[in-house]
Amino acid sequence: MALIELKNVTMSYEGMRVITNLSLSVNKGDYLCIVGENGTGKTTLIKGLLGLKKLDSGEIVFGDGLKKNEIGYLPQQSDLQRDFPASVREVVLSGRINKKGFCPFFTSKDRKICTDAMKRLEIDTLASKCYHDLSGGQQQRVLLARAICASENLLILDEPVSGLDLVAAEEMYAVIDRLNSEGMTVIMISHDIKRVQKLNGFILHLGHKKEIFYGKSSEYKKYAIESGLWEKDI
């Protein structure tokens, strides 16, 4: 059974229909990139997957035992988040909160998962540093480690390289690629169509005229060229 299955999903944003009868499946270990112009429903769809926004119609089915509170989510970072006055360890450990239930305390297991996530993202040496003192690239790694603490199966990333310079962005892409190669399922919104086309995964393109491309990344370049999208980032 698919990890996530969308069945004829229709969604609106501020009263306007942005997604119509979308059906697709995401299997364990897949790498799905969602691209498209602003206002085409990318973030709206992500919020639907997270249960933060209701569907107009259709259904989202979770399989393989996946629950909504077992999804690691990295949203677009706000200025408020960038100035958050907490240590790196505290930010990463907060990814375990949704798994606490009625227990208000972090366990030794929680702390080990936090430490392992920081080592995995190569930020363990920053554990005691204040989050707002870090570079943009380091902050994104911290938030990614936080998302990993929330889930060992699925990461949903909303423009994870937004605001980063070219070097930091490429480093972040490399980290995400590695996590996927290690078995993590990744769903990511990106505006960099040339970069995501190189990935060994799938691309979902959402367009203003409700046109949709869904298929292997290796097949997307032809669509992008024919649609006049290849010479610009969207």
Side-chain angles (χ1 to χ4, degrees):
M1 183 178 182
L3 193 64
I4 300 176
E5 186 174 3
L6 280 66
K7 299 181 179 180
N8 299 314
V9 168
T10 296
M11 300 186 71
S12 298
Y13 176 72
E14 294 186 348
M16 295 184 62
R17 181 72 51 80
V18 289
I19 297 170
T20 303
N21 294 328
L22 176 62
S23 296
L24 60 85
S25 296
V26 178
N27 295 312
K28 189 173 182 179
D30 279 356
Y31 198 150
L32 172 63
C33 292
I34 305 173
V35 301
E37 298 88 343
N38 290 331
T40 54
K42 302 185 299 296
T43 298
T44 297
L45 177 58
I46 290 300
K47 289 182 177 180
L49 292 172
L50 294 167
L52 301 176
K53 189 172 180 59
K54 292 184 178 180
L55 311 182
D56 293 348
S57 61
E59 185 180 13
I60 297 177
V61 180
F62 294 91
D64 202 22
L66 180 67
K67 300 177 182 178
K68 289 181 181 178
N69 69 341
E70 296 175 339
I71 297 175
Y73 176 45
L74 195 165
Q76 293 186 48
Q77 193 174 186
S78 66
D79 290 337
L80 180 62
Q81 286 175 311
R82 292 186 179 94
D83 293 332
F84 196 65
S87 72
V88 167
R89 181 180 288 106
E90 289 170 334
V91 173
V92 176
L93 189 57
S94 69
R96 299 294 298 168
I97 289 176
N98 283 344
K99 293 183 177 292
K100 300 310 298 172
F102 294 106
C103 177
F105 304 108
F106 291 112
T107 65
S108 58
K109 178 182 177 181
D110 293 324
R111 298 183 187 281
K112 182 179 186 306
I113 290 173
C114 170
T115 298
D116 290 346
M118 289 190 294
K119 289 180 178 179
R120 198 172 181 183
L121 273 293
E122 300 177 349
I123 55 171
D124 50 308
T125 57
L126 304 175
S128 61
K129 290 188 175 297
C130 189
Y131 175 78
H132 70 68
D133 290 335
L134 304 181
S135 69
Q138 289 172 330
Q139 287 185 344
Q140 284 299 82
R141 285 193 181 223
V142 172
L143 295 180
L144 186 56
R146 180 184 184 278
I148 290 174
C149 277
S151 176
E152 299 178 358
N153 298 307
L154 173 63
L155 292 177
I156 294 182
L157 316 175
D158 192 347
E159 299 189 34
V161 303
S162 178
L164 302 184
D165 60 39
L166 291 176
V167 173
E170 191 55 40
E171 288 176 349
M172 178 58 67
Y173 277 130
V175 169
I176 298 168
D177 293 350
R178 173 168 56 82
L179 291 173
N180 177 250
S181 70
E182 293 171 353
M184 183 74 76
T185 306
V186 176
I187 299 176
M188 177 178 71
I189 293 177
S190 176
H191 278 83
D192 190 348
I193 62 174
K194 292 185 179 180
R195 179 60 173 80
V196 301
Q197 188 271 337
K198 298 176 183 178
L199 302 174
N200 182 25
F202 298 88
I203 293 178
L204 170 65
H205 176 99
L206 302 175
H208 278 302
K209 297 179 180 180
K210 306 299 183 293
E211 70 274 15
I212 291 176
F213 170 91
Y214 173 67
K216 293 182 178 179
S217 54
S218 58
E219 302 167 346
Y220 181 69
K221 183 174 182 179
K222 180 180 179 182
Y223 172 84
I225 291 175
E226 291 175 348
S227 302
L229 301 171
W230 194 247
E231 296 304 320
K232 62 179 181 178
D233 290 340
I234 56 175

